[in-house]
């Protein structure tokens, strides 16, 4: 069973078997507005926690999405190239951004669960 974590920068990650699926939260997509472009990372890219990994561009602004943990990009959501609005319609479903390995699982301890994230966004 996957465990869901949240960052203070409004990313979510679903971790199962040492691999995380990463995206932005519903709150973040609401703040950005309608997404018009998503710049995805290359598979095989090595990430350090806090690295700007994806750029999401909306009608309001462009924003970086940060790696929540060290690891390597194993897969990207190619469907977003044709339809970036998937992030708006299903931010924690079909609108996921990338999958990565988790090099150091101890980094997950500093992330929030859903209740803590809801308290964080008020």
């Amino acid at each position: 069973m996957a465990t869901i974590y949240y960052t203070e920068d409004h990313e979510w990650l679903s971790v199962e078997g040492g691999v995380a699926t990463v995206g932005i939260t519903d709150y973040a997509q609401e703040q950005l507005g309608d997404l018009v472009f998503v710049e995805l990372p290359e598979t095989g890219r090595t990430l350090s926690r806090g690295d700007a990994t994806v750029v999401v561009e909306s009608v309001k602004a462009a924003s970086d999405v940060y790696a929540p943990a060290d690891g390597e990009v194993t897969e990207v959501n190619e469907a977003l190239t044709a339809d970036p609005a998937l992030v708006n319609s299903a931010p924690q479903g079909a609108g996921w951004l990338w999958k990565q390995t988790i090099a150091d699982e101890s980094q997950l301890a500093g992330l929030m669960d859903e209740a803590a994230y809801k308290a964080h966004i008020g």
Side-chain angles (χ1 to χ4, degrees):
M1 182 172 167
T3 303
I4 310 292
Y5 299 92
Y6 297 86
T7 72
E8 291 185 359
D9 293 322
H10 310 292
E11 291 95 8
W12 61 266
L13 58 155
S14 173
V15 179
E16 185 168 7
V19 175
T21 302
V22 183
I24 63 171
T25 65
D26 188 52
Y27 174 82
Q29 70 80 22
E30 283 181 14
Q31 297 301 307
L32 288 166
D34 294 336
L35 292 185
V36 294
F37 181 75
V38 177
E39 182 182 325
L40 297 167
E42 292 184 17
T43 57
R45 178 177 164 190
T46 301
L47 302 173
S48 294
R49 185 180 188 175
D51 282 352
T53 304
V54 165
V55 176
V56 290
E57 187 175 327
S58 71
V59 293
K60 293 181 180 178
S63 298
D64 290 327
V65 180
Y66 302 98
D70 297 350
E72 180 180 311
V73 176
T74 59
E75 186 178 346
V76 297
N77 188 354
E78 298 287 354
L80 298 178
T81 304
D83 188 7
L86 284 172
V87 176
N88 294 112
S89 62
Q92 289 192 227
W96 63 275
L97 299 174
W98 77 90
K99 294 185 180 188
Q100 70 169 82
T101 59
I102 300 294
D104 180 1
E105 292 199 14
S106 71
Q107 292 179 335
L108 301 176
L111 302 175
M112 294 179 273
D113 62 14
E114 184 175 1
Y117 180 71
K118 285 183 177 179
H120 174 68
I121 60 175

